[in-house]
Each structure stands twice: as structure tokens, then as C-alpha cells.
Amino acid sequence: MTDKLQLLAERIRAARRLTILTGAGVSAASGVPTFRGQDGLWRHYRAEDLATPEAFGRNPRLVWEWYAWRREKIAGCRPNAAHEVIAAWSQVFPACRVVTQNVDDLHVRAGTRNLTRIHGSLWELSCWDGCAKGAAGWRDERVPLRELPPRCPHCGGLARPAVVWFGEALVGENLRAALEATACDVFLTIGTSAIVYPAAGLVHDARRQGAFTAEINLEATPASGTVDLAVHGGAEVVLPRVAERL
Ligand code: BV8
């Protein structure tokens, strides 16, 4: 492991452009449940039953009960050492870009710069009925939410979580930023099962452009066979150990 950490530190130190893709595993040490792990969110629910516009259209209250529960759980969570190292690198490296699939905003709370939240945020809502003012979305950090489902403050219609559901396109500017970030010298994919696209395709795009690619995860994923370096360990343990070698 130590040799791998030393190699990764050397690659990061020599990099001009560093891109970091994160998934739920980066927030696991903060107490935020992952999706597909042993105690994951999807074990109690089927993604298709909750994280799709069809599911919301069928039963907005059920979907909101799930998101309200996640908001309450995440409200009590704090950024962990993995978030802190990534935030520090985003402030120190002039060309460090962070692309997260996470909707918990813990990277935001850790002070991460050049951050693209490609699946949106649990702390932002938008108008399900698509009214002009509500379509852009608004921040709502109330815990608990007094009424379920919450209403759009602009038109009184249904509000939805401003996240990207399965079958929904990513917001154009976020997808563009994520794709641009694959033009880099070092691409780290950290704490993601590498199953959800287009996020899972980014490491392949980076490799095709000549980036040194590395994965930090507790277990092997579909990306493990692609990356130049696979480090098995918790992000909250590995990242500080790499940082101390820089
Ligand atoms: C789209 C909602 C097109 C918010 C989520 C090819 C190309 C394009 C699309 C597709 C494609 N193939 C299939 C699709 C469709 C689909 C998809 O990818 N399906 C999968 C299931 C096969 N993709 C989409 O629908 C996307 N939309 O492409 O639209 C389009 C174009 C035009 C017009 C219309 C449509 C939208 C995808 C976004 C879906 N929304 N969530 C929410 O409620 O959260 S996805 C959900 O999974 C989360 O957002 C999460 O971010 C994401 C990925 O999960 P992970 O973060 O990886 O978490 P997971 O639990 O799976 O894994 C955790 C990992 O951490 C594990 O590996 C574990 O070992 C590790 N770990 C745990 N602890 C630690 C750790 N690692 C390190 N340290 C630790 N301590």
C-alpha cells in the first residue's frame, strides 16, 4: 500500500491539472448512507421506485418521504477527512477540478473550490410544474420539512428535489464542466461504484486523453481494470496519507 501511496503522491505533485470524481463512498465516513453498499439506501428501496420522474409523478409524497428522511439524516453529518483533503487540494492546486455525484453538499461545506455537482443537491428544490421562476430552483435547508410534498413558492405547484433522477439528462453546463475536466494530467475516481452513467464514463474519457488514472475504493469496481492504479482503502484514510506525502 505504501508504495502505491508514494506513487500516487508523486503523480499528483507533478500534475498541472488534477481532476477528482467522487461518489457516495467519500461521504460514508461522515455517516451518510451509500446507495449500493451493505447498509445502502437502495437495499431498502428500489432506485426505480423512488429516483425517477415517473415514480415522483405516481407518488410524490412517497418520494418526498424518502428525501425528507435523507435530509434529516445528512443534516447531522459533517465533512470527514476525505472532504477536507479534497477541499485543500482544490484550494492549493490552481487547476484542480472536483466533480461529485453526491447530493449531500458536504464538499460545499468543506469549502471545495471548482466543484461541479453533476447530480444536483438535496438542499435545493425546483418547481415540478416547471413555472418560469421555479424551474431554476431555490435553496431550502429546513429540517424537518413542515409540509410534504413542499410547494413551489412562485406558483404554489409541487416542488421536487433539485437532483438528477434516472432517465433525466444532466444539466448541460454541469455535463460540459465534467467533460472538460477529463482533460487533465491526473484523474482520481474516489468512492464510487462506477455503475451510473455518464459519470462512470469520465474516467475512460480521461484515460483516452492521456491522464494518469487512479481509483480509491474499499472494493473493486468496473473501473478497477481500467485505471493505472487501484488503491484499496477508505478515502478518509488513504487521502490524508497521500496528502502527507506531497
Ligand atoms: C442520463 C439521484 C440520459 C439523486 C442518481 C449510458 C449513458 C447514459 C445513461 C445511461 C447509460 N447507461 C445507463 C444509463 C441510464 C442511467 C444509468 O446510469 N443507470 C445505471 C443504473 C446503469 N443514467 C441516467 O439515467 C442518467 N441520466 O444519462 O440521461 C438522457 C439524455 C437526454 C435526455 C434524457 C436522458 C442520470 C444518472 C443520475 C441518477 N441519479 N441519484 C439521489 O437521489 O441521490 S444516481 C445515484 O447513484 C447517486 O446520485 C449516486 O451519486 C450515484 C452513484 O452511486 P455512487 O456514488 O457510486 O454510490 P454507491 O453506493 O453505488 O457506491 C459507493 C462506493 O463507495 C462503493 O464502490 C463502495 O465500495 C465505496 N465506498 C464505501 N465506503 C467507502 C468507499 N470508498 C472509499 N472510502 C470509503 N470509506
Side-chain angles (χ1 to χ4, degrees):
M1 160 80 95
T2 307
D3 292 348
K4 285 189 172 184
L5 299 181
Q6 192 57 39
L7 170 59
L8 186 50
E10 285 164 8
R11 284 285 183 163
I12 293 172
R13 193 187 309 123
R16 196 170 54 77
R17 300 163 301 164
L18 168 65
T19 294
I20 302 170
L21 170 70
T22 66
V26 165
S27 295
S30 296
V32 179
T34 62
F35 290 86
R36 298 168 181 85
Q38 282 311 308
D39 59 347
L41 288 166
W42 295 147
R43 282 182 71 81
H44 307 292
Y45 305 92
R46 277 168 22 88
E48 299 72 18
D49 295 342
L50 291 165
T52 67
E54 292 77 20
F56 188 80
R58 271 196 310 273
N59 190 340
R61 183 175 180 82
L62 169 68
V63 175
W64 260 116
E65 282 170 0
W66 185 52
Y67 280 92
W69 173 75
R70 290 172 63 191
R71 286 164 54 109
E72 288 186 38
K73 189 153 184 62
I74 290 167
C77 299
R78 299 281 170 272
N80 65 63
H83 295 106
E84 304 296 348
V85 167
I86 291 169
W89 288 353
S90 76
Q91 291 152 15
V92 167
F93 284 81
C96 175
R97 289 166 287 186
V98 182
V99 177
T100 189
Q101 300 171 86
N102 299 341
V103 296
D104 56 35
D105 273 5
L106 288 182
H107 283 303
V108 174
R109 285 169 52 193
T112 308
R113 293 182 51 197
N114 300 324
L115 173 67
T116 300
R117 299 172 301 167
I118 55 171
H119 291 166
S121 170
L122 273 179
W123 302 110
E124 291 168 17
L125 280 56
S126 63
C127 181
W128 168 254
D129 300 326
C131 79
K133 287 185 180 173
W138 62 92
R139 197 139 182 97
D140 180 333
E141 296 180 352
R142 289 175 298 164
V143 170
L145 280 167
R146 263 193 296 282
E147 61 165 335
L148 285 186
R151 313 302 293 181
C152 171
H154 305 290
C155 73
L158 261 182
R160 60 164 285 177
V163 299
V164 180
W165 281 325
F166 288 104
E168 290 189 313
L170 275 60
V171 170
E173 64 187 279
N174 291 338
L175 181 56
R176 263 192 307 281
L179 291 171
E180 282 167 13
T182 58
C184 59
D185 303 302
V186 172
F187 186 98
L188 302 183
T189 172
I190 307 175
T192 179
S193 56
I195 291 170
V196 173
Y197 282 80
L202 297 174
V203 66
H204 304 279
D205 295 344
R207 185 168 171 75
R208 268 197 294 275
Q209 297 173 78
F212 177 83
T213 54
E215 178 183 57
I216 298 172
N217 200 306
L218 288 178
E219 62 190 13
T221 74
S224 304
T226 303
V227 296
D228 298 298
L229 182 70
V231 180
H232 284 182
E236 67 285 359
V237 172
V238 170
L239 287 174
R241 292 180 63 188
V242 173
E244 66 195 20
R245 286 167 169 76
L246 286 184

